Amino acid sequence: MKVLVANRGEIACRIIRTLKKLGIGSVAIYSDADKYSKHVDMADEAVRIGLPQVKESYLKIEAILNAAKSTGAKAIHPGYGLLSENADFVEACEKEGLVFMGPTPDQMRQFSLKHTAREIAKNEQAPLLPGSDLINTQEEACSLAKEIGFPVMLKSTAGGGGIGMQLCWSEEELIRAYEPVRRLGNNNFANSGIFLEKFVQNARHIEVQIFGDGRGKVIALGERDCSVQRRNQKVIEETPAPHLSEELRNRLLNTAIRLAKAVSYRSAGTVEFVYDVDDRQFYFLEVNTRLQVEHCVTEEVTGVDIVEWMIRLAMNDLEDLDTLQVTPQGASIQARIYAEDPHKDFQPSSGLLTRVAFPQDVRVDTWIESGTEVSAFYDPLLAKVIAKGENRDETLGRLKAALESIRIDGIETNKDYLSRIVTEEAFREARHTTRFCDNLIYKPRTIDVLEAGTQTTIQDYPGRVGYWNVGVPPSGPFDSLAFRIGNRILENANDAAGLEITVAGPTLRFNHDTIICLCGAKSNATLGGKKVAFWEPIAVREGDVLDCGRVEEHGCRSYLTVKGGLDGPSYLGSK
């Protein structure tokens, strides 16, 4: 038997690994941008399905079905995202005689639209926040918002991942958000339906992992706290959710089971709740009819391979859910590493990864390695780092150490931002809410290059030597004495990396306080518009701009050293 994996990135790699474990053949699909991606290399077979844009590749139902038929695949695993919650895709699979390893089309339709999911929840007596039905006009939205009471959340009824949601504190904000949210829903999910829901100001996001056999039996595999979010997108998830009483936890699990049983739910899914910290009450939010990015923490504490369960259920090879005894043990926390720059409002980052290194003592689900080209076309998720321990404190310690040891060089990532989160007192004491990241102060130890200069390079001492025999000439700072003196003045290590500036230097903005030193050929360098002295330590403050200027005397190369040196990967013995 062969299974086609209708996804990309780390989840495609994860599914293919599980198929190999079960002795099942795998078929990968890929766009032109993913031709050399890890999941393509891992699969038994791979089929090109189109151009880099998702609409021209991973969302092309006909191309995916043709790939399955041409390779003889009998089933399709959707992973998460992309077509994983597309009921039309499921029906197209079934029409072609392909087994879809996920929920049914009807279950997707019943739960995928948030306003219909609210109706199911109401019928099953699940607690609900004050909200509205679908709204037809801006005027109706304003009238209903006044009845519910500001602040309110304006939501697209379709989709997920934080897309199509806007917090509105006033009628003016609601009016401004109305058309953009409607447009987002239509553009991203082909559904412009929107509704209102009361916003809980001091809230936590808690969800329950469910699994159903499609014949009326459903079990809950525990809950997860996903409150650490930015722009409604989860960043860190953990289980068990801290500071919940057993009585409240049981009510959460039972509510989720009741909702899933109402539709005889099949396969993996997640029931999401908002928890009001002040009232200590939870309210139904939505159901995700798919595997979640954060399913890994549940697997770590239960010992259940949820992806394997999905495959076995589709093959009619899963043990009866009534006979399965699942008792969570310990704690697990997951951090998502994204290709983005937190210091620049989380703008996406793309390019060649020159060095990737992950620790071996925690679980890391990833699709990247040294030499991977990160495309700008797709979701920025690079890796999930999942730590496990006997309790939350032990797990946090392991996650912190793991994040500090990770190297991802070549592009900007949020790795250091995650390290900042796990050391924050509010998070360590589990006092965080969904607005935790809004007030987080993050100052990266980075320098922005505003202008590059004529020929500015990173150098270290003695440089790249000893490779003449393979055709690599010696390199390093041209004036190595001046370079070493600059490091000595700052009490840096002799081999600390710095900048070599040729003729005309760069313009740099410092994102943190530090100390610098300029050496070598003298230039007309300025810091904040004031002339900078050479051969002495200079204090630099966050936000200061250094214009290294043009060399004026004593040669054509000057050097900039920074306290602690510049961090970067070594290649052939040099940075």
Side-chain angles (χ1 to χ4, degrees):
M1 180 180 176
K2 294 178 188 175
V3 174
L4 183 140
V5 181
N7 219 295
R8 62 173 302 279
E10 60 83 20
I11 187 57
C13 296
R14 165 71 201 288
I15 295 167
I16 291 168
R17 278 197 302 271
T18 305
L19 291 169
K20 286 183 183 294
K21 183 178 76 171
L22 297 173
I24 300 171
S26 57
V27 178
I29 56 173
Y30 66 92
S31 70
D32 290 340
D34 276 340
K35 183 177 181 179
Y36 301 107
S37 195
K38 191 174 182 179
H39 76 282
V40 177
D41 184 55
M42 289 176 63
D44 297 315
E45 297 179 61
V47 180
R48 176 191 177 274
I49 53 167
L51 300 171
Q53 296 85 350
V54 288
K55 287 185 177 180
E56 299 300 324
S57 53
Y58 296 106
L59 295 182
K60 288 178 67 176
I61 293 176
E62 185 178 351
I64 294 172
L65 296 179
N66 286 338
K69 287 186 286 186
S70 67
T71 56
K74 301 300 182 185
I76 290 182
H77 197 301
Y80 47 67
L82 299 174
L83 292 171
S84 62
E85 291 183 282
N86 188 306
D88 293 338
F89 177 54
V90 183
E91 287 177 339
C93 290
E94 293 174 346
K95 185 177 180 181
E96 295 293 336
L98 296 164
V99 175
F100 182 80
M101 295 178 163
T104 69
D106 286 344
Q107 290 162 357
M108 287 184 178
R109 290 194 174 101
Q110 286 174 295
F111 281 134
S112 65
L113 298 180
K114 298 181 181 69
H115 75 285
T116 57
R118 279 176 61 92
E119 281 301 311
I120 295 173
K122 184 178 179 180
N123 292 337
E124 295 302 319
Q125 298 182 325
L128 289 167
L129 285 168
S132 73
D133 294 326
L134 288 185
I135 296 168
N136 297 310
T137 66
Q138 193 177 93
E139 292 72 24
E140 184 184 2
C142 292
S143 175
L144 289 168
K146 290 175 184 176
E147 290 180 21
I148 296 169
F150 287 99
V152 294
M153 190 70 83
L154 182 64
K155 290 185 173 183
S156 168
T157 187
I163 300 172
M165 297 172 62
Q166 184 63 53
L167 173 60
C168 304
W169 291 88
S170 65
E171 184 174 352
E172 291 74 22
E173 289 187 8
L174 178 59
I175 292 171
R176 285 198 300 270
Y178 185 85
E179 281 304 326
V181 171
R182 181 182 287 277
R183 197 160 51 243
L184 273 171
N186 189 59
N187 292 344
N188 287 277
F189 313 115
N191 190 318
S192 61
I194 55 177
F195 69 102
L196 289 171
E197 196 169 70
K198 178 68 178 176
F199 177 71
V200 178
Q201 298 190 47
N202 199 16
R204 288 167 60 189
H205 185 124
I206 297 176
E207 61 188 30
V208 176
Q209 176 70 58
I210 56 169
F211 199 94
D213 65 3
R215 297 183 294 274
K217 295 179 181 178
V218 178
I219 63 172
L221 297 173
E223 85 292 343
R224 300 183 287 253
D225 187 301
C226 307
S227 302
V228 181
Q229 305 176 6
R230 56 116 183 103
R231 296 176 182 164
N232 302 311
Q233 177 65 59
K234 300 164 188 173
V235 178
I236 290 181
E237 303 99 348
E238 62 179 297
T239 189
H243 303 327
L244 290 187
S245 67
E246 281 305 305
E247 185 269 337
L248 181 62
R249 180 173 284 110
N250 288 333
R251 281 201 289 126
L252 273 167
L253 301 184
N254 289 333
T255 301
I257 291 172
R258 204 162 62 244
L259 287 169
K261 281 187 173 181
V263 298
S264 295
Y265 191 80
R266 183 182 79 185
S267 197
T270 306
V271 183
E272 303 200 359
F273 300 91
V274 60
Y275 175 67
D276 190 322
V277 175
D278 298 324
D279 293 344
R280 297 186 180 182
Q281 177 60 275
F282 66 86
Y283 301 94
F284 171 76
L285 199 59
E286 63 184 9
V287 177
N288 287 299
T289 54
R290 57 175 169 82
L291 193 66
Q292 290 276 85
V293 178
E294 58 272 21
H295 73 276
C296 311
V297 293
T298 298
E299 292 184 329
E300 289 298 296
V301 300
T302 60
V304 172
D305 186 327
I306 298 174
V307 172
E308 182 178 332
W309 275 26
M310 294 174 74
I311 296 168
R312 288 192 180 279
L313 177 66
M315 297 171 61
N316 295 314
D317 187 36
L318 184 68
E319 188 177 340
D320 192 312
L321 293 182
D322 283 343
T323 67
L324 290 168
Q325 297 295 321
V326 179
T327 305
Q329 299 289 333
S332 182
I333 306 176
Q334 171 180 286
R336 303 188 190 188
I337 298 182
Y338 289 116
E340 62 186 16
D341 188 347
H343 189 62
K344 294 183 172 63
D345 200 26
F346 299 97
Q347 72 178 23
S349 180
S350 60
L352 180 68
L353 300 181
T354 53
R355 180 188 175 191
V356 175
F358 291 110
Q360 300 299 311
D361 56 348
V362 296
R363 173 177 170 180
V364 179
D365 284 13
T366 186
W367 63 279
I368 62 171
E369 56 194 353
S370 298
T372 295
E373 184 80 31
V374 177
S375 168
F377 289 102
Y378 309 119
D379 182 276
L381 182 63
L382 299 177
K384 302 184 302 189
V385 183
I386 308 112
K388 184 192 176 190
E390 292 297 318
N391 51 54
R392 189 175 188 268
D393 286 344
E394 181 181 308
T395 306
L396 263 179
R398 290 180 178 174
L399 180 62
K400 177 178 179 293
L403 290 170
E404 290 172 351
S405 70
I406 290 170
R407 294 300 305 244
I408 302 177
D409 295 305
I411 66 173
E412 289 295 329
T413 75
N414 69 332
K415 182 185 80 70
D416 292 339
Y417 179 77
L418 294 170
S419 293
R420 175 73 183 86
I421 290 174
V422 299
T423 57
E424 179 70 15
E425 183 179 356
F427 179 75
R428 297 193 67 83
E429 295 178 359
R431 292 186 285 106
H432 57 286
T433 66
T434 53
R435 302 182 68 191
F436 167 77
C437 289
D438 295 347
N439 302 314
L440 186 70
I441 299 173
Y442 171 67
K443 297 180 180 180
R445 294 183 58 79
T446 58
I447 303 170
D448 291 336
V449 180
L450 305 182
E451 293 183 19
T454 302
Q455 183 176 324
T456 307
T457 59
I458 294 176
Q459 298 289 346
D460 56 15
Y461 180 81
R464 189 165 291 119
V465 294
Y467 295 95
W468 252 130
N469 60 327
V470 291
V472 180
S475 61
F478 191 85
D479 184 352
S480 62
L481 179 60
F483 183 80
R484 283 180 287 160
I485 290 173
N487 273 327
R488 178 69 63 87
I489 288 171
L490 298 181
E491 299 181 345
N492 285 346
N494 205 37
D495 62 350
L499 295 183
E500 181 174 77
I501 299 160
T502 308
V503 182
T507 302
L508 309 170
R509 180 173 57 227
F510 290 79
N511 295 322
H512 66 293
D513 296 349
T514 188
I515 302 173
I516 63 171
C517 182
L518 283 165
C519 294
K522 193 173 181 181
S523 72
N524 58 350
T526 60
L527 180 66
K530 297 181 179 179
K531 197 169 178 65
V532 178
F534 271 54
W535 307 100
E536 63 181 61
I538 305 294
V540 175
R541 300 302 177 195
E542 176 194 347
D544 280 354
V545 174
L546 173 69
D547 182 350
C548 293
R550 296 184 66 84
V551 173
E552 295 181 323
E553 55 182 289
H554 308 310
C556 63
R557 287 182 175 86
S558 54
Y559 296 89
L560 173 68
T561 53
V562 181
K563 183 71 174 177
L566 298 177
D567 186 19
S570 290
Y571 182 73
L572 293 179
S574 174
K575 291 181 171 56

